[in-house]
Amino acid sequence: MRTRARRPGVAAAKTVGIVALLAFSLFPAYWMFSSAIDPEAATRGARLLPAGVTWDNFVTVIDDGGFGHYLRNSVLVALGTVLASSVVALLAAVAVSRFRFRFRKSMLVLILMVQMVPLEALVIPLFLQMRNLNMLNSLLGLTIVYLAFALPFAIWTLRGFVAAVPVELEEAAYLDGASWGRMFWRILVPLVAPGVVATSVFSFITAWNEFIFALTFLQQSSKYTVPIGLQKFFGENTTDWGAVMAASTIITLPVLVFFVLVQRNLSSGLTAGSVKG
Amino acid sequence: MADLRAAPDASAASATLADRPPSGTEPTGTRRRRPGGLGHRSPLRPWLLLAPGLVVLGVLLLWPLVRVVLLSLQDYGLRQIASGESNWVGLQNYVDILGDSYLWTTVLPNTVLFALACVVLTVVLGTAVALFLNTLGGFWRGVGATAIMVAWAVPAITGTYVWVWIFDPLNGLVASVLEGVGAIEPGTVNWFTERLSFYAIATLNVVHHGFPFVAITVLAGLMTIPHELHEAAKVDGASAWRRFWAITAPILRPVFAVVTILSTIWDFKVFTQIYLMPGGNGGNKDVFNLGVWSYIESFAQGKYGMGSAIAVLLTLILLGITLVYMRTLFKEEEL
């Protein structure tokens, strides 16, 4: 009996399939980068191969005082979100996966439910709230809002990582006379560190990519994050597509790197946390 | 968030996890009851640990959710913002929206048909890609998975700019190619002004961003199906098509249910991709969906009450879908 893989028709079909898949998947990313390095992208119409290689578009974007500033704002907001959400989520994850208490199940359902809250519906009340608190145009205000967005997912994921740490380790620490706090820092935290890294990356990406709240809250250009700052390269009538694509490349790069890095981490965490196959 | 699709958008990512909640608590749960976890007996400690999270979620997610419903019952505009007074109008905002033919002829069809098209295409394409990757050897499967990961990772915002640039009427790739072969006159076509072509481009964008999540999730499911099942069916002479429907589809039914429902939720509330396309930020009322309409009413028109009512309408639709999601989830996995 011939195996399928050896039939030449099947092999050819697979080759066509993989080429088509790669082309479809990678084309926009390729197009973004190739336009960014094409010296004539905006002026002479687009071609599949760039007319040359220039870093001028990147230099334009970076030299532009504004964009560097937006990058800094985005980094601040994203790092703040990561830091706050990691701490708060880890505490909550330990509570729901290490303690048996009344309403524990209700808490789990609540965390699952709030993931479903459509954030688009919250933009109006949160805008009015921030306005009353005088926190529009505040990077701190934006960070706090992103913390809330990142939290349900982070708690839910970390819960799996915490559950995967054998309770026996904690019990041994107790028997040795360690306090709860000591056990938490010396045993639990190092063991769930990979999980914290994985969820941190997703918190980072949430804050880095977020558009609608940044658009609504940030009204002074000095406070813009990169998704909002990007719009500055759009002219009234003409757009410098080379610059837009260079800026887009800069924004996309960290997400791409993080995403590829964390994917393995996350799936290992999922397997650790869930026993069902 | 719609952007989680930006699974790089955490929304997509959260979905990945949500559809397979780590269920490792059961075994630990039994262990936890053993004596020995001395510190675990403190009844207050779990609540202290939970407190910061609960405060954040309560103040920033749950209370605003209540508030948007309250706002939707008011005529809340710039005057009310300035004075701080309330102007209760009962269900008037809803009466206005539901009585407006604009909702029925433009916004709702835009929202629903667009979401349906995106969901069907995303799930079908994602499944096809997963089935294809599953037939490949380890190396090429890795290459394919990495490539679609790149498609997934490009943020919704920059991805949208790329598609807008590709379809740019002046110098975009598609216009250049079509002009090159003489199919169109230079500078005569603008795909962004027509509702149908506008949404065709939006669909392409959203499907391109969304299919990797489906593909990766379904692929993970496919790898759990024992090889023997397919081998046996093959010996019995079942075609690939029949094997898919008789073996793969029933086993992966929960996976399909979850990816379909999540895609539906995301695609109903797509905002960034529509708003950033030419005309989507208010210039062309023909292309609004519910999310954009709510945003424009609130922040461009200053009618926060009206915008809130539209947001509540969208939320109710999503709530219906979410209920289905929760039922599926709880049927499959015990918390």
Side-chain angles (χ1 to χ4, degrees), chain B residues 133-168:
Chain B
L133 289 178
N134 199 37
T135 67
L136 296 179
F139 175 74
W140 287 108
R141 182 190 294 165
V143 170
T146 306
I148 66 176
M149 212 69 87
V150 171
W152 196 0
V154 173
I157 172 153
T158 53
T160 302
Y161 284 138
V162 175
W163 288 110
V164 170
W165 167 219
I166 288 175
F167 285 95
D168 184 64

Side-chain angles (χ1 to χ4, degrees), chain B residues 72-73 89-101 103-104 293 306 309-310 313:
Chain B
S72 75
L73 304 173
V89 294
L91 294 175
Q92 190 57 47
N93 286 327
Y94 294 96
V95 172
D96 288 350
I97 295 167
L98 296 174
D100 189 342
S101 66
L103 172 74
W104 303 102
W293 191 28
M306 184 68 90
I310 301 168
L313 186 64

Side-chain angles (χ1 to χ4, degrees), chain A residues 92 95-96 101-114 155-156 159, chain B residues 46-47 50-51 53-54 57 335:
Chain A
V96 291
F101 56 97
R102 267 193 85 177
F103 305 120
R104 175 178 159 272
K105 234 175 159 169
S106 324
M107 285 300 123
L108 286 173
V109 174
L110 178 79
I111 293 163
L112 199 60
M113 290 284 283
V114 293
I155 297 175
W156 192 253
R159 172 182 162 258
Chain B
W47 291 106
L50 271 173
L54 289 180
L57 295 181
L335 266 180

